[in-house]
Amino acid sequence: MTSAFFRLAPGRDAQSEQYLPQSSAGSGWGSGHMRGMAVSGALARATEKTVEELGRQDLQPVRWTLDLFRPAVMKPSVTSTTVVREGRRLCLVDAVLSQGGEAVARASALYLSPTVTPEGMVWASAYSPQPPPEDYSAGSAERLYYSDGAGWSLPADAQQNGDRKQIWQFAIPVVEGEQLTAFQMAASVADAANVIINLGSAGLEFINADVTLALARLPEGLELGLAALDRAEQHGISVGTGLVFDRVGVVGSVTVSAVGNARRAVDLRGFGQGDGAAPLTNSSAAT
């Protein structure tokens, strides 16, 4: 498991927690910038704690919307939450991440109470993305990349082409010393939808301003995949949709809006590689 995005500043109570970013929180967009996965993970943790404090174990998260409206930097951060509405079958919570007294990102989480599935037949997509084989090893890399026609690869060998993409993300804890939850995992990985939607032959030339995650259920295990489903782009504005899946099947969908940023395009080969990552191998084939 990769080191956590943050550690908590010592000597603070739960109401005034301060997140201190670690190297895993660094962005490929520029030195000193914080990646959206870290921002989303911190806000998801704050939202989840708020719902827990309400004593609502009957609820599950089904929609997560993140707005990245100012650059988050590698500096101490704090989160705050507001319960917008709590009802018998739902809870809506807003969260804000601030740095130096200024809000840089916000999120909204909708929790619903599960019920019995109706008996009527309803249409469902036949497209079902497949995870990498369980006996694949990626060493210390935090994710694998997939491109149609090329298969799964490490970041260093990621195919930067015009084909449809997938990623398979391994766990990155949000806070050092805390167990990562399934919701925190899903919320943080959702920001990587920009990669599957907008990674092309010249690298990642679009920076996302938002992400919306919808979950029919929480993922099982702390590995999660994203697969590009659809994309539209005009005049440097891109919108795209992807599927979120684990080793059991599809758990939900993700959408992302992005704007062209070609002058600072990111070459993802090597980003997220980790230190001393081993080659991607299939252990049964190797033996």
Side-chain angles (χ1 to χ4, degrees), residues 71-191:
V73 294
M74 296 288 281
K75 292 184 177 181
S77 308
V78 297
T79 58
S80 59
T81 61
T82 302
V83 179
V84 178
R85 170 81 168 100
E86 182 189 1
R88 183 176 64 87
R89 297 190 60 184
L90 67 79
C91 186
L92 183 64
V93 182
D94 286 351
V96 174
L97 185 136
S98 301
Q99 297 182 324
E102 183 176 59
V104 300
R106 68 180 182 183
S108 174
L110 174 65
Y111 284 72
L112 295 178
S113 178
T115 185
V116 177
T117 300
E119 295 182 359
M121 297 181 64
V122 183
W123 171 90
S125 172
Y127 177 53
S128 180
Q130 298 300 307
E134 291 192 49
D135 57 358
Y136 268 43
S137 170
S140 61
E142 69 176 48
R143 75 168 59 132
L144 304 176
Y145 289 85
Y146 178 94
S147 178
D148 285 352
W152 292 102
S153 64
L154 285 168
D157 303 315
Q159 297 295 311
Q160 297 192 163
N161 53 36
D163 294 344
R164 185 162 63 175
K165 304 294 193 300
Q166 297 181 31
I167 64 166
W168 186 254
Q169 181 75 43
F170 300 103
I172 305 177
V174 175
V175 170
E176 187 178 79
E178 289 187 2
Q179 177 63 41
L180 182 68
T181 69
F183 177 52
Q184 292 171 18
M185 174 75 178
S188 60
V189 173
D191 181 73

Side-chain angles (χ1 to χ4, degrees), residues 25 27 34-41 66 68 187-188 191:
S27 169
M34 188 185 297
R35 65 198 298 193
M37 287 180 64
V39 173
S40 191
L66 173 70
L68 302 161
S188 60
D191 181 73

Side-chain angles (χ1 to χ4, degrees), residues 8 14-15 17 19 44-54 111 178 184:
L8 296 180
Q15 304 305 315
E17 287 180 332
Y19 294 81
R45 176 181 179 269
T47 320
E48 196 170 45
K49 289 181 64 177
T50 297
V51 175
E52 289 175 356
E53 290 167 0
L54 293 173
Y111 284 72
E178 289 187 2
Q184 292 171 18

Side-chain angles (χ1 to χ4, degrees), residues 220-287:
E220 296 188 16
L222 295 179
E223 298 179 13
L224 200 59
L226 302 179
L229 190 61
D230 198 12
R231 181 181 187 272
E233 185 262 317
Q234 287 289 323
H235 308 299
I237 294 177
S238 163
V239 294
T241 303
L243 293 179
V244 186
F245 62 102
D246 58 14
R247 292 197 177 276
V248 178
V250 173
V251 304
S253 63
V254 61
T255 61
V256 64
S257 307
V259 63
N261 198 31
R263 288 184 302 172
R264 300 179 66 185
V266 177
D267 187 333
L268 289 182
R269 289 169 293 195
F271 182 73
Q273 179 74 37
D275 297 325
L280 178 66
T281 61
N282 182 300
S283 59
S284 60
T287 55

Side-chain angles (χ1 to χ4, degrees), residues 58 112 196 207 286:
D58 59 310
L112 295 178
I196 61 164
I207 185 168

